[in-house]
Amino acid sequence: MITKIPFKILSINDEGFHLTMKIIINGKSATIIIDTGASKTVFDKTRITKFITNKIFDENEKLSTGLGTSTMKSHMTKIKKMKIGAIEILNYETVLLDLSHVNKSYKQVGLKPIEGVLGSDILVKYNAIIDYEKKILKLKFNKK
């Protein structure tokens, strides 16, 4: 099966573009960036608290890199139910980072904040195809 999720192309001060889309975390709508260069899907440590009940996070022993920073401490949590189009991912273990610098930049250019970044762990697993012309992210999955 293929699920098709619409995305928006945001122009970032004539310096490039970000792709954003909506997903559902534990029944609530969240905005994320599609990032083919991100190795893992991550969420903002502060903003994720609107979507989960357990607000005590396990510290991740590994330092995370990327997202415009050198290295930063990260935490781990489990998302009970994440829905991306027609795909439901249960008990998703995810990394939490401080993405406030991203959201601060978004605010400065008049954009709404994001909750996280959809990375290659999910994009590769579901054989993602990004159709820029139609502004659709296609993910392939086996219906259970």
Side-chain angles (χ1 to χ4, degrees):
M1 305 255 335
I2 294 177
T3 186
K4 297 177 182 179
I5 307 110
F7 63 80
K8 292 181 181 178
I9 300 175
L10 305 179
S11 178
I12 309 295
N13 279 352
D14 298 325
E15 293 183 16
F17 301 92
H18 283 182
L19 310 180
T20 63
M21 63 182 237
K22 298 285 186 184
I23 65 170
I24 305 296
I25 301 172
N26 296 327
K28 297 177 184 174
S29 180
T31 302
I32 59 172
I33 295 172
I34 302 168
D35 187 349
T36 60
S39 58
K40 290 230 6 124
T41 298
V42 300
F43 292 92
D44 181 73
K45 185 180 174 196
T46 302
R47 295 190 64 81
I48 197 68
T49 58
K50 296 189 293 184
F51 301 90
I52 60 175
T53 54
N54 181 15
K55 298 185 179 31
I56 299 172
F57 308 125
D58 298 323
E59 192 164 330
N60 191 355
E61 293 177 17
K62 299 178 192 171
L63 288 176
S64 297
T65 59
L67 292 165
T69 65
S70 53
T71 57
M72 65 174 81
K73 281 190 176 184
S74 62
H75 292 80
M76 302 289 294
T77 195
K78 193 176 282 191
I79 295 175
K80 287 183 185 178
K81 185 176 176 183
M82 183 167 64
K83 192 169 183 196
I84 306 170
I87 297 171
E88 285 189 359
I89 302 171
L90 303 177
N91 298 314
Y92 180 71
E93 289 232 358
T94 191
V95 174
L96 302 175
L97 298 173
D98 178 3
L99 300 180
S100 60
H101 62 288
V102 175
N103 284 322
K104 184 178 179 182
S105 297
Y106 269 37
K107 186 175 184 178
Q108 289 174 343
V109 295
L111 298 174
K112 293 181 180 176
I114 53 114
E115 275 68 54
V117 175
L118 183 67
S120 292
D121 59 331
I122 290 177
L123 296 171
V124 169
K125 180 177 181 175
Y126 295 102
N127 297 302
I129 297 171
I130 300 172
D131 185 331
Y132 288 90
E133 184 179 6
K134 294 180 182 173
K135 297 179 186 149
I136 296 285
L137 173 69
K138 298 176 186 177
L139 300 175
K140 298 177 187 175
F141 66 104
N142 295 325
K143 192 173 182 180
K144 294 179 183 179

